[in-house]
């Protein structure tokens, strides 16, 4: 059986360790295989073996003529690992190639946001235009939802989720869309500035102390719903499984619960 087929099968099964070994066997025969380097880097990423992931990406960047998929993989790698300046250079190389247009535009926008730059309004307009297309896949709408939240374009984000609900073809997609609706307030909160987050948190704490008992309970439920939803979203969708986010969210939940308990006793 073809070793590349075995590697792809193992990767689809999320057997990252064995898939990485299989891709390494392919690389032993063809060290400059861009497909193998991309996939082994991803397998190492999923194992959190970031030194090996970085080595595979560096090997990929050393190849003179890169495929579009390789350029995209390099850009995504550096964006995920906190190097938006490098990621932006690679995303920009893909402009005009008609390759993963939405994801490339979204990547450029995310890089510009991370670098504190003004996001090109023309680019935002293109993303809004894309979001109105009936031909988008569910995955593309999911990506647009994430980007619109980061751009603070909440109306467009809500529209994206609404279209995802209509386009859902599986129970999993429908549940994910529902969780996105419920988690949107928390995500919108997390994308605001630190000053605004502190002010909102202070107002929430004061409200929990000042409001009558009935409204304390209602308010607490409204606060907890998006937090619980996003925790469920992280566990449901493997792309959200980042333990440090779960730890932060758990701390937020415990803090709010403590405030609620204290306020009810007063």
């Amino acid at each position: 059986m073809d070793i590349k087929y075995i590697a792809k099968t193992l990767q689809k099964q999320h057997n990252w360790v064995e898939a990485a070994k299989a891709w390494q066997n392919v690389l032993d025969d063809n060290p400059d295989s861009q497909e193998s380097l991309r996939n082994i880097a991803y397998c190492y990423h999923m194992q959190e073996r970031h030194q090996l992931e970085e080595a595979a990406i560096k090997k990929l960047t050393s190849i003179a003529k890169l495929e579009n998929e390789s350029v995209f993989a390099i850009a995504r790698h550096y964006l995920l690992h906190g190097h938006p300046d490098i990621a932006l250079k690679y995303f920009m190389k893909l402009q005009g190639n008609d390759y993963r247009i939405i994801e490339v535009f979204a990547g450029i926008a995310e890089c510009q946001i991370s670098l504190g730059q003004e996001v090109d309004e023309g680019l935002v307009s293109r993303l809004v235009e894309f979001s109105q297309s009936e031909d988008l896949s569910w995955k593309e709408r999911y990506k647009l939802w994430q980007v619109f939240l980061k751009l603070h374009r909440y109306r467009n984000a809500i529209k994206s989720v609404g279209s995802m609900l209509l386009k859902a073809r599986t129970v999993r997609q429908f549940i994910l869309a529902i969780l996105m609706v419920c988690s949107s307030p928390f995500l919108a909160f997390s994308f605001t500035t630190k000053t605004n987050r502190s002010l909102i948190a202070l107002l929430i704490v004061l409200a929990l102390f000042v409001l009558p008992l009935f409204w304390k309970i209602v308010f607490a439920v409204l606060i907890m719903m998006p937090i619980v939803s996003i925790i469920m979203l992280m566990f449901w969708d493997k792309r959200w499984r980042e333990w440090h986010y779960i730890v932060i969210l758990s701390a937020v939940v415990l803090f709010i619960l403590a405030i609620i308990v204290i306020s009810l006793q007063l």
Side-chain angles (χ1 to χ4, degrees), residues 130-145 148 155-169 173-174 177 180-181:
F130 283 132
S131 70
Q132 297 168 350
S133 172
E134 293 294 327
D135 299 327
L136 293 182
S137 67
W138 195 89
K139 183 179 178 182
E140 287 172 327
R141 295 179 189 279
Y142 176 86
K143 185 63 180 177
L144 282 170
W145 171 74
F148 284 139
R155 182 178 297 178
N156 296 112
I158 291 169
K159 287 181 179 179
S160 294
V161 175
S163 61
M164 289 168 71
L165 281 169
L166 294 174
K167 293 286 184 178
R169 295 292 178 266
Q173 289 178 349
F174 183 78
M180 287 172 201
V181 172

Side-chain angles (χ1 to χ4, degrees), residues 138 165 168-179 236:
W138 195 89
L165 281 169
R169 295 292 178 266
T170 65
V171 174
R172 180 179 182 276
Q173 289 178 349
F174 183 78
I175 293 175
L176 278 173
I178 293 293
L179 290 175
W236 188 281

Side-chain angles (χ1 to χ4, degrees), residues 27-47:
L27 283 168
D28 289 341
D29 295 331
N30 184 5
D32 292 329
S33 168
Q34 295 188 40
E35 180 185 16
S36 301
L37 287 167
R38 292 193 302 264
N39 284 295
I40 199 170
Y42 185 72
C43 290
Y44 285 142
H45 174 76
M46 297 306 292
Q47 296 177 63

Side-chain angles (χ1 to χ4, degrees), residues 184-196:
S184 292
F186 180 84
L187 290 172
F189 171 79
S190 67
F191 291 137
T192 60
T193 63
K194 289 183 179 180
T195 303
N196 287 339

